[in-house]
Amino acid sequence: MAITKKLINWYLVNKRDLPWRATNNPYFIWLSEIILQQTQVAQGLPYYKAFTSKFPTVFDLANAEESQVLKLWQGLGYYSRARNLHASAKYIVNEFNGVFPDTYNEIIKLKGVGDYTASAIASICFNETTAVVDGNVYRALSRIYGISTPINTGKGFKEFKALAQELIDTKQPATFNQAIMEFGARQCKPKSPDCIICPFNTSCVALQKNKIEQLPVKLKALKVKKKYFNFMVMLSADQKTILEKREGKGIWQNLYQFPLIETKQPVNILEIEAELECFSILKNRNFNVSIYNETPIVHKLSHQHLYTTFWILTIDGNLSEGISTTKITDFPVPILISNFIERFNF
């Protein structure tokens, strides 16, 4: 098809020089694809280099402690990706003796791998003719063909997947898949794409109908929830503090944090002091409470906004059950807490 040839020709001229494009090692491609989920290339590139350096083989990743993996992932967000990555590495080592599965149907069984990632790995590493559909592909195809079906629906996925599968070059599926993703990322950008130099500017339906900004269509997500986090930063005379591991499902699972008091609205120092009665570690201890940031730090996640306040608890005496403040950077923590640790002079 003409569109297929144009995409590939555009890609061969305009593709970026990225390290995962210099290999067809499925372990490295898998790492890059997981890192780039929900992440821009510029942000993900240093993490890719760090992971391939620290864990050069799937055996190295499988044998690592989860805390090591989370620490290396720190700041990238969506930490379930790191936990799934680690779990899948163990699965590959235990079930396949470290040999990466080589078909779409086997790859998609890996934890944290969906249709897009399985298609990317299967096509790039094993030349399987299975089309990728990600945000860049949705955007490019919806504009070129003028498709208004919402992309975040089952119907939308099936429609765009079928179209991409129809367009894919069966002789070079890896090149086509990378071409259409790169085209969406660099040429058919979300905002103000340069349509003058686009190879499809004479046939693009969205351009002809002045719908570039309206496509692709995405149904509105659920209302974002507000949560109020109050972290208790305990500091003892022997230079120790308390970090707790987040258990159970939810955000930041298995990461560490300062003791947390979650409230339904912002609270003042008197309300916090009343809440502190629930901490057994503070019983029979003298301590002073002060606020670190008067204005809450708003940490925005995809489904919730965290209004965060750090409270400093200066404790008389020692904290035998605490950790040395000099060791605090050894623990994997959410970027919100990492930024505080970096700013605060322990």
Side-chain angles (χ1 to χ4, degrees), residues 42-63:
Q43 184 188 7
L45 183 56
Y47 286 88
Y48 173 82
K49 291 179 177 178
F51 265 83
T52 53
S53 176
K54 182 76 172 178
F55 309 119
T57 71
V58 70
F59 292 98
D60 296 308
L61 180 56
N63 292 330

Side-chain angles (χ1 to χ4, degrees), residues 229 244-248 251-257 260:
F229 279 12
E244 298 176 337
K245 190 175 184 180
R246 285 183 69 97
E247 304 289 352
I251 64 167
W252 304 339
Q253 180 184 348
N254 293 343
L255 297 181
Y256 287 79
Q257 65 181 19
L260 171 66

Side-chain angles (χ1 to χ4, degrees), residues 109-142:
K109 294 177 183 177
L110 299 177
K111 203 169 184 181
V113 170
D115 173 80
Y116 160 73
T117 303
S119 296
I121 298 170
S123 63
I124 294 169
C125 303
F126 306 110
N127 215 36
E128 188 171 344
T129 308
T130 176
V132 295
V133 180
D134 71 347
N136 294 315
V137 176
Y138 279 127
R139 184 166 56 256
L141 293 182
S142 68

Side-chain angles (χ1 to χ4, degrees), residues 93-105:
V93 167
N94 294 332
E95 299 298 324
F96 296 94
N97 296 316
V99 178
F100 207 93
D102 60 3
T103 66
Y104 171 92
N105 288 335

Side-chain angles (χ1 to χ4, degrees), residues 234-236 238-244 259 281 285 315 317-328 331:
M234 301 183 189
L235 298 174
S236 64
D238 59 346
Q239 299 300 301
K240 288 186 177 180
T241 190
I242 299 293
L243 285 180
E244 298 176 337
I281 196 172
R285 293 182 186 270
I315 300 172
N318 299 334
L319 270 179
S320 59
E321 57 271 76
I323 62 166
S324 171
T325 54
T326 61
K327 300 290 186 182
I328 198 169
F331 293 82

Side-chain angles (χ1 to χ4, degrees), residues 84-205:
N84 289 337
L85 194 74
H86 192 215
S88 291
K90 291 182 177 181
Y91 174 77
I92 293 168
V93 167
N94 294 332
E95 299 298 324
F96 296 94
N97 296 316
V99 178
F100 207 93
D102 60 3
T103 66
Y104 171 92
N105 288 335
E106 287 297 328
I107 296 169
I108 202 168
K109 294 177 183 177
L110 299 177
K111 203 169 184 181
V113 170
D115 173 80
Y116 160 73
T117 303
S119 296
I121 298 170
S123 63
I124 294 169
C125 303
F126 306 110
N127 215 36
E128 188 171 344
T129 308
T130 176
V132 295
V133 180
D134 71 347
N136 294 315
V137 176
Y138 279 127
R139 184 166 56 256
L141 293 182
S142 68
R143 288 173 174 172
I144 292 170
Y145 286 91
I147 301 171
S148 58
T149 308
I151 62 175
N152 56 338
T153 62
K155 181 183 178 182
F157 169 76
K158 289 178 182 178
E159 184 174 349
F160 282 94
K161 178 73 174 182
L163 177 56
Q165 195 66 38
E166 182 183 334
L167 295 172
I168 193 171
D169 189 322
T170 57
K171 293 181 180 179
Q172 43 183 344
T175 302
F176 173 81
N177 277 340
Q178 293 182 88
I180 193 168
M181 288 189 290
E182 188 81 334
F183 180 80
R186 304 195 69 195
Q187 176 60 50
C188 198
K189 299 182 293 186
K191 300 291 184 183
S192 304
D194 190 352
C195 297
I196 295 176
I197 63 170
C198 176
F200 302 103
N201 57 16
T202 60
S203 58
C204 176
V205 175

Side-chain angles (χ1 to χ4, degrees), residues 215-228:
L215 293 174
V217 174
K218 191 173 185 179
L219 296 181
K220 289 186 178 180
L222 296 175
K223 186 178 180 180
V224 175
K225 295 181 179 179
K226 287 185 180 181
K227 289 189 175 181
Y228 296 87

